[in-house]
Amino acid sequence: MVEENQNELNAQLEVAVDQVLTGTVSKVDEKQALINVGYKYEGILPISEVSSLHIDKVADVLSEGQEIQVKVIRLDEEKDEMIVSKRAVDAVQAWGELQRKHEAGEVFDATIADIVKGGLVVDLGVRGFVPASHVERHFVEDFSDYKGKTLSVKVIELDKEKNKVILSHRAVLEEEVNKQKGQVLENLQAGSVIEGTVQRLTDFGAFVDVGGVDGLVHISEIAWSHVDKPSDVLKEGDKVTVKILKIDKDNERISLSIKAAQAGPWEQAAQDFRIGDVVAGTVKRLVSFGAFVEVAPGVEGLVHISQIANRHIGTPDEVLKEGEAVNVKILDINPDEERMSLSIREIQEEKQKQDTKKVVAQYQAEENAGMGVTLGDQFGDLLKKFKS
């Protein structure tokens, strides 16, 4: 009795082209499915009308007993044939949803259905495309591992007339980075000393990652000594300690210094050098009143012209030349004023004294051996000078 009533209702149901019906999948073949929509005969759903994307078998998308909505796209009462489309219904729903997400800038998940030349394809009820340049923030050479993978995306271009839906995963990643960058900038303070990683080297300096934000270490702030090229001192991936010099939150710029995070050359010199020390150095500059000698990176001391030689000289270049390696004695050091007084002459005079002592010792030994010649006879004047 129930079945007869249902048949009568089916017979009374009127169906028209473009009508959307809810039905149940009654049979699934390789290239089509039959959909029971309560009409006197079932609707035929061709494989081409199942999905917006290419599929190999209807069973890849549908199964018997599944309830779906379809649109009548062709009706032939004489042949008892009704062609329906699931794809058309999905597209109408998809365009409305995509328009809303596009306007709201909404981020949503999409599963990669296929890999094609130039990017990735997803099924959103309509075909969505993720260009290769919008997959990641970095260059990806091989996309083979992306099929079946779910990515968070947002719509960056939408054109219903051209059936065009462009998506971007990179835009989502960049938003996350910018959000993180804002948080990092809020927490950083000028004057702080923090750890960072060298990300990129340029001719004018090095970009250092300090917690998700890149700051610039200008070439003049890399070391206390002169640096010709950043690559002479640093390489990408190096861990460095930097001091924050300045933060420009509006323009998201951070100025950093590696050298300011280290003890200055004169601070170090105060620890390393003492008055009376003899150290090696290099003549950096010759001036009329003396020579400047570098005894450590960034630390130069003055050898006054009177302290260059143990004889009178008219100009420093009579004895020295720039670039020459010399030993100097520290006469005075003032780290606060970054000054150091040096002497080459005192080293020479000390050497002369040592040589004299050796000569005296030698002849003393000979006199004691009964040579019959006194030191006074041989070195009277020299001994007087030595004793004085």
Side-chain angles (χ1 to χ4, degrees):
M1 184 69 176
V2 175
E3 185 176 346
E4 290 177 0
N5 291 336
Q6 183 64 49
N7 289 336
E8 289 178 8
L9 289 172
N10 291 348
Q12 294 172 4
L13 180 65
E14 293 184 3
V15 175
V17 173
D18 290 336
Q19 187 173 348
V20 176
L21 305 170
T22 300
T24 304
V25 179
S26 59
K27 184 179 181 182
V28 176
D29 293 327
E30 184 176 355
K31 298 300 180 183
Q32 68 176 30
L34 297 181
I35 312 299
N36 183 357
V37 294
Y39 192 50
K40 58 186 176 181
Y41 48 82
E42 294 177 311
I44 300 171
L45 177 61
I47 190 171
S48 61
E49 294 297 328
V50 174
S51 170
S52 62
L53 304 182
H54 170 77
I55 58 174
D56 295 322
K57 304 189 300 260
V58 175
D60 291 340
V61 178
L62 299 176
S63 57
E64 291 184 9
Q66 183 178 348
E67 186 176 272
I68 61 172
Q69 283 191 315
V70 292
K71 182 178 183 179
V72 179
I73 57 175
R74 192 167 75 245
L75 188 63
D76 191 333
E77 294 286 0
E78 292 182 2
K79 294 182 179 180
D80 289 343
E81 184 178 83
M82 177 172 55
I83 308 300
V84 296
S85 172
K86 175 179 179 295
R87 179 170 67 103
V89 176
D90 291 343
V92 171
Q93 296 175 342
W95 280 112
E97 186 67 9
L98 287 169
Q99 186 66 43
R100 181 188 67 77
K101 289 178 178 178
H102 184 39
E103 291 173 356
E106 183 178 324
V107 176
F108 57 95
D109 289 340
T111 302
I112 307 306
D114 202 4
I115 299 166
V116 296
K117 184 178 180 180
L120 311 174
V121 174
V122 300
D123 184 5
L124 302 171
V126 293
R127 182 182 186 274
F129 183 61
V130 185
S133 61
H134 280 271
V135 176
E136 303 287 355
R137 294 181 69 220
H138 58 272
F139 173 74
V140 179
E141 186 173 353
D142 183 9
F143 290 104
S144 58
D145 291 339
Y146 279 77
K147 189 169 184 178
K149 187 176 181 180
T150 299
L151 299 178
S152 53
V153 298
K154 64 185 304 184
V155 180
I156 58 172
E157 188 176 344
L158 197 63
D159 191 330
K160 186 176 180 180
E161 291 182 2
K162 296 181 180 179
N163 198 36
K164 187 176 184 181
V165 181
I166 305 299
L167 308 169
S168 175
H169 178 55
R170 189 189 74 188
V172 176
L173 296 177
E174 288 178 345
E175 282 184 2
E176 292 174 353
V177 168
N178 289 334
K179 183 178 179 181
Q180 181 185 14
K181 190 180 291 187
Q183 294 173 343
V184 172
L185 286 170
E186 285 298 322
N187 293 328
L188 293 177
Q189 291 184 342
S192 298
V193 176
I194 56 178
E195 298 298 315
T197 304
V198 177
Q199 293 294 311
R200 188 162 51 95
L201 299 176
T202 66
D203 291 339
F204 54 84
F207 286 94
V208 176
D209 182 334
V210 287
V213 181
D214 284 353
L216 174 64
V217 179
H218 190 267
I219 190 169
S220 62
E221 293 294 333
I222 290 178
W224 287 104
S225 56
H226 175 74
V227 176
D228 289 323
K229 294 184 299 182
S231 57
D232 291 340
V233 181
L234 301 170
K235 63 179 183 298
E236 292 180 3
D238 279 353
K239 302 293 182 183
V240 292
T241 301
V242 293
K243 183 175 183 178
I244 301 174
L245 301 180
K246 184 180 179 182
I247 302 174
D248 183 347
K249 294 181 180 179
D250 294 335
N251 295 306
E252 296 184 348
R253 292 179 181 174
I254 304 174
S255 298
L256 304 171
S257 174
I258 294 175
K259 76 177 187 181
Q262 304 168 343
W266 284 94
E267 290 179 68
Q268 193 63 44
Q271 300 175 28
D272 295 342
F273 300 127
R274 296 289 181 271
I275 293 174
D277 287 351
V278 175
V279 296
T282 304
V283 177
K284 303 300 288 185
R285 287 176 295 138
L286 296 177
V287 292
S288 60
F289 53 85
F292 285 95
V293 175
E294 184 180 63
V295 295
V299 178
E300 291 183 7
L302 173 65
V303 182
H304 189 268
I305 190 170
S306 64
Q307 294 292 328
I308 290 178
N310 57 359
R311 58 182 175 82
H312 175 75
I313 59 173
T315 58
D317 60 8
E318 292 179 25
V319 179
L320 300 173
K321 61 179 181 294
E322 292 183 358
E324 181 180 353
V326 293
N327 288 328
V328 291
K329 184 176 181 179
I330 300 175
L331 302 181
D332 188 36
I333 180 170
N334 189 332
D336 293 336
E337 296 182 6
E338 298 186 357
R339 290 182 180 179
M340 185 182 291
S341 297
L342 306 172
S343 175
I344 297 173
R345 189 188 76 185
E346 287 205 7
I347 296 176
Q348 295 173 341
E349 290 180 347
E350 183 64 30
K351 185 176 183 303
Q352 284 183 339
K353 288 181 179 181
Q354 294 298 327
D355 290 343
T356 301
K357 285 183 179 181
K358 288 180 182 179
V359 171
V360 169
Q362 177 184 349
Y363 280 91
Q364 182 69 58
E366 291 178 356
E367 186 178 66
N368 292 338
M371 296 293 292
V373 180
T374 67
L375 290 174
D377 294 335
Q378 298 291 330
F379 301 102
D381 294 338
L382 182 60
L383 286 173
K384 288 178 184 178
K385 181 178 179 182
F386 177 68
K387 289 176 181 179
S388 63

